[in-house]
Amino acid sequence: MDLVALQNSLDNLSFAVLLVTMLLYWSGMAFPRIPYLPALGTAGMAIANLSIASLLGARWIEAGYFPLSNLYESLFFIAWGLTATHLLAEYLSRSRWVGAVASPVAMGITAFAALSLPDTMQVAEPLVPALQSNWLMMHVSVMLLSYACLMVGSLLAIAFLIVTRGQAVSLAGSSYGNGNRRQTPLNQMETVSDLPAVQFSSNGSAIAERSQGVTTLERIALETTPTWSPETLSLAQVLDNISYRMIGLGFPLLTIGIIAGGVWANEAWGSYWSWDPKETWALIAWLVFAAYLHARITKGWQGRRPAILAAAGFCVVWVCYMGVNLLGKGLHSYGWFF
């Protein structure tokens, strides 16, 4: 069997399947009354996942090492991680939004790897001495899987901001666990009975008692608070919760990957930490998502504020993964642009 020809066919197939999958998910969002579109999208994502796994397996057999040594291989590995994480998130949420936001990113990654990279960067080459280590599989695979989980979690946070149009919304669940409802701010209360009855005496002091009808303060609060349908609130809660879970899965992987990278760096370069651009941005990504989890677990944040932090984390992950290799040269530049 010609493994090189098989790889060329599989990378183009993966791109084509993900393109069709993206269109199916977007069509399902535009035409929600067509029931089979989300199922077809899920099937397409599963086919793409298997195609990419077959491509990586064929490359592993051909090259004799785990395919994570250059940009082409790492792009397809992270695309495989994205499709796998997407399937998990979609299974947990049963929401079309997962595929609508994740499939374009996976499709864009495969398109860039299969169609934009020069042929010389797609060829498997012998490993440089620094990469001839068992730590290659341990460190790089865990880091890329963590990126995939963090990207999906961040994309769901962005979807939350889109669904709620960036407005504050009171969710029934919380970061402490489902079923808990924290005290709701005035501008997020859902019914008139939840609002405090406030009137003012002749000298301007507030009196905490209700008279007839709705007070001016209550009327202002009701007029300025967005009216959310039960469906929107339910969807927002699902997106917020699954985003939290995916980031909670990706953060330990990121931590393990950074620790493994430090051990490998000590073996290869004689130092656990060299403040290489890749190392620095990996630390920044770790701090951003550590702040996200701290705010949710310790402070009980949910909704818009942690979603904005996760959206910023999406950009940081991409800078860590590709940006530092495009903007500068460091110890992690094997097989990249510069």
Side-chain angles (χ1 to χ4, degrees), residues 77-78 80-82 85 143-153 317:
F77 188 87
I78 202 170
W80 176 83
L82 274 170
T85 307
M143 288 296 293
L144 293 181
L145 285 175
S146 73
Y147 292 163
C149 293
L150 295 173
M151 284 182 188
V152 171
V317 167

Side-chain angles (χ1 to χ4, degrees), residues 25 42-43 66 122 155 168 176 201 240 263 284 313 321 324 336-337:
Y25 275 116
T42 303
F66 196 70
Q122 299 184 22
L155 287 169
Y176 298 111
S201 62
D240 180 73
V263 176
I284 293 172
Y321 173 55
V324 294
W336 301 70
F337 285 120

Side-chain angles (χ1 to χ4, degrees), residues 186-189 192 195 200 214-226:
L186 175 63
N187 63 349
Q188 299 177 21
M189 294 182 178
V192 175
L195 294 168
F200 296 90
V214 180
T215 67
T216 302
L217 181 60
E218 292 170 335
R219 186 178 299 109
I220 294 173
L222 290 173
E223 290 175 354
T224 58
T225 302

Side-chain angles (χ1 to χ4, degrees), residues 9 22 73 75 78 99 116 124 157 164 170 186 208 219 240 249 256 258 277 287 289 310 318 329 336:
S9 300
M22 180 189 71
E73 294 168 351
L75 284 169
I78 202 170
S116 298
T164 61
S170 178
L186 175 63
R219 186 178 299 109
D240 180 73
L249 175 62
I256 295 171
I258 291 175
L287 291 173
F289 288 104
W318 271 109
K329 189 173 182 179
W336 301 70

Side-chain angles (χ1 to χ4, degrees), residues 179-202:
N180 295 333
R181 182 184 290 273
R182 295 187 302 278
Q183 184 177 359
T184 306
L186 175 63
N187 63 349
Q188 299 177 21
M189 294 182 178
E190 300 173 356
T191 64
V192 175
S193 59
D194 292 328
L195 294 168
V198 179
Q199 289 183 330
F200 296 90
S201 62
S202 57

Side-chain angles (χ1 to χ4, degrees), residues 46-182:
I47 293 171
N49 181 269
L50 293 176
S51 298
I52 296 173
S54 301
L55 184 155
L56 294 173
R59 200 172 182 89
W60 192 351
I61 295 173
E62 178 203 359
Y65 58 83
F66 196 70
L68 289 174
S69 64
N70 59 25
L71 179 59
Y72 177 83
E73 294 168 351
S74 70
L75 284 169
F76 270 103
F77 188 87
I78 202 170
W80 176 83
L82 274 170
T83 55
T85 307
H86 158 270
L87 292 172
L88 174 62
E90 188 174 65
Y91 173 77
L92 294 174
S93 65
R94 306 294 183 183
S95 173
R96 305 181 186 188
W97 274 92
V98 181
V101 296
S103 57
V105 177
M107 187 276 295
I109 291 173
T110 56
F112 178 64
L115 306 178
S116 298
L117 291 181
D119 294 338
T120 55
M121 295 189 66
Q122 299 184 22
V123 177
E125 297 179 349
L127 292 176
V128 298
L131 297 182
Q132 295 176 5
S133 170
N134 292 329
W135 286 104
L136 173 66
M137 181 186 299
M138 171 63 183
H139 167 62
V140 182
S141 63
V142 172
M143 288 296 293
L144 293 181
L145 285 175
S146 73
Y147 292 163
C149 293
L150 295 173
M151 284 182 188
V152 171
S154 299
L155 287 169
L156 293 177
I158 295 172
F160 173 89
L161 294 173
I162 295 173
V163 168
T164 61
R165 300 189 294 278
Q167 301 294 324
V169 57
S170 178
L171 302 177
S174 75
S175 300
Y176 298 111
N178 291 332
N180 295 333
R181 182 184 290 273
R182 295 187 302 278

Side-chain angles (χ1 to χ4, degrees), residues 198-318:
V198 179
Q199 289 183 330
F200 296 90
S201 62
S202 57
N203 60 2
S205 61
I207 303 175
E209 63 182 19
R210 180 181 298 277
S211 63
Q212 298 178 352
V214 180
T215 67
T216 302
L217 181 60
E218 292 170 335
R219 186 178 299 109
I220 294 173
L222 290 173
E223 290 175 354
T224 58
T225 302
T227 302
W228 305 106
S229 65
E231 293 80 7
T232 300
L233 288 173
S234 176
L235 175 60
Q237 183 173 333
V238 168
L239 293 174
D240 180 73
N241 182 263
I242 301 302
S243 171
Y244 174 44
R245 293 189 183 190
M246 291 299 103
I247 292 175
L249 175 62
F251 182 76
L253 292 175
L254 180 63
T255 304
I256 295 171
I258 291 175
I259 294 173
V263 176
W264 187 14
N266 185 59
E267 291 185 2
W269 303 320
S271 174
Y272 288 100
W273 195 267
S274 304
W275 292 106
D276 179 74
K278 179 78 73 173
E279 296 172 349
T280 303
W281 277 96
L283 177 61
I284 293 172
W286 189 91
L287 291 173
V288 169
F289 288 104
Y292 171 91
L293 293 175
H294 172 75
R296 295 208 60 144
I297 297 172
T298 304
K299 301 298 184 180
W301 282 17
Q302 65 178 32
R304 181 177 60 176
R305 290 184 296 178
I308 294 174
L309 190 58
F314 179 78
C315 300
V316 172
V317 167
W318 271 109

